Amino acid sequence: MYTLYYSPGAASLAVHWMLIELGVPHELKKVNMEAGEHRQPEYLKLNPNGFVPTMVVDGTPLYESAALLMLLAERHPQAGFAPPPGSPQRGLYMTWMFHLSNTLQAAFKDWFYPERPAGADAVEGAKASARTRIEECWDRVEAQIRSGGPYLVGDRVGAVDFLATMLMRWSRNMPKPANEWPTLANYIARMKARPSFKTLYTREGLTEWA
Ligand SMILES: N[C@@H](CCC(=O)N[C@@H](CS)C(=O)NCC(=O)O)C(=O)O
C-alpha cells in the first residue's frame, strides 16, 4: 500500500501521476504548504527535510521524488516504466533520472526560492543563474528527444518522462517556458494527451497548463 503526501503541482505531481498510470492502490494525503504543514512536527517525523513529497511504502516513509519514481518502476515492472537492469537503455535512463533531479530540479529550487543561495540581496543574480541553467538543460533535453526519442529514453514512456514533464510544467511562467523548444512542445502535447493527465489534474484541482 502506498500513501502519498502531496501538494497540488509540487514535486509530488510526478509520483502521483505514475501511481495513477500504474493503477495500484494508493491513498493521498494533502499537505497544506501555504499553512506550513510541511514544517510541522508530525510531517517532519515522516520527512525531516520538510519537503513534499513523502510516500509511505508498506509502513516506511520515503522521499525524493526521483527515487520514488524509480522505486515504483522497480516494484511494478510489468508497466515497463524503466529499462530493466542490463538492458541497453538502462544507463541512459539512470543518467537522465539523476540529471533531471540533481541539476534541473536543483536549478528550479533556486528559481522558486532565490533568496536561499545567497540571501535577499542576491535574488536577481540567483534567478538569472537559475534561468540560465534551466534553459541550458532544455537545450539538452530537446537534443536528446530529437535524437533518441520520441520519449526521453527511446520509444517507451517511463518514469523519466513523468519527472521531465512535471519539471517542464514548472517552467510555465518563466520568460522562456519549455514549450518554446519545438521538440519539447510536441513531447509535452503527447504527455498531456494521456488520459491519466486529466485524472491527475482533476484530483489535484489544477487548471494552469491544462
Ligand atoms: N529533492 C526533493 C525536493 C522536494 C521539494 O523541494 N519540494 C518542494 C515542493 S515542490 C518543497 O517541499 N519545498 C519546501 C521548501 O523547500 O521549503 C524531491 O524531489 O522530492
Side-chain angles (χ1 to χ4, degrees):
M1 178 65 177
Y2 301 110
T3 302
L4 179 67
Y5 288 77
Y6 82 105
S7 177
S12 43
L13 182 144
V15 184
H16 187 185
W17 192 359
M18 195 155 143
L19 285 166
I20 296 168
E21 284 269 348
L22 290 169
V24 292
H26 59 277
E27 179 189 14
L28 297 174
K29 298 238 191 216
K30 191 166 171 175
V31 181
N32 185 341
M33 294 187 75
E34 278 172 24
E37 280 180 9
H38 57 304
R39 298 201 190 95
Q40 293 301 313
E42 278 308 297
Y43 188 76
L44 294 175
K45 271 189 226 156
L46 299 171
N47 184 336
N49 303 299
F51 295 158
V52 173
T54 299
M55 186 164 72
V56 180
V57 181
D58 299 335
T60 303
L62 302 170
Y63 41 84
E64 286 302 335
S65 51
L68 299 177
L69 293 169
M70 294 176 87
L71 182 71
L72 285 172
E74 185 181 300
R75 285 169 63 101
H76 303 283
Q78 73 288 351
F81 284 160
S87 66
Q89 292 189 315
R90 180 76 175 178
L92 211 48
Y93 156 71
M94 295 182 81
T95 295
W96 279 103
M97 285 303 290
F98 281 84
H99 186 61
L100 293 179
S101 175
N102 279 348
T103 303
L104 181 57
Q105 199 173 338
F108 269 110
K109 197 93 171 173
D110 291 347
W111 175 261
F112 288 123
Y113 304 97
E115 70 290 353
R116 288 189 184 171
D121 292 341
V123 157
E124 286 314 312
K127 283 194 91 158
S129 155
R131 180 183 168 186
T132 301
R133 285 177 282 139
I134 291 166
E135 293 182 0
E136 285 173 356
C137 193
W138 296 144
D139 289 340
R140 293 190 290 272
V141 178
E142 169 89 3
Q144 167 61 22
I145 297 176
R146 197 180 288 161
S147 66
Y151 292 101
L152 197 40
V153 179
D155 57 6
R156 283 192 78 145
V157 74
V160 71
D161 297 298
F162 303 118
L163 180 60
T165 308
M166 176 186 84
L167 297 169
M168 289 172 193
R169 182 179 182 278
W170 287 0
S171 75
R172 67 192 181 281
N173 295 320
M174 291 186 68
K176 190 172 177 193
N179 58 9
E180 289 194 20
W181 278 256
T183 305
L184 299 192
N186 180 282
Y187 171 84
I188 289 167
R190 273 182 289 119
M191 292 301 292
K192 281 163 62 166
R194 299 180 75 79
S196 56
F197 188 77
K198 195 165 269 182
T199 308
L200 175 71
Y201 258 53
T202 305
R203 284 187 178 194
E204 296 208 356
L206 299 172
T207 49
E208 267 190 85
W209 210 69

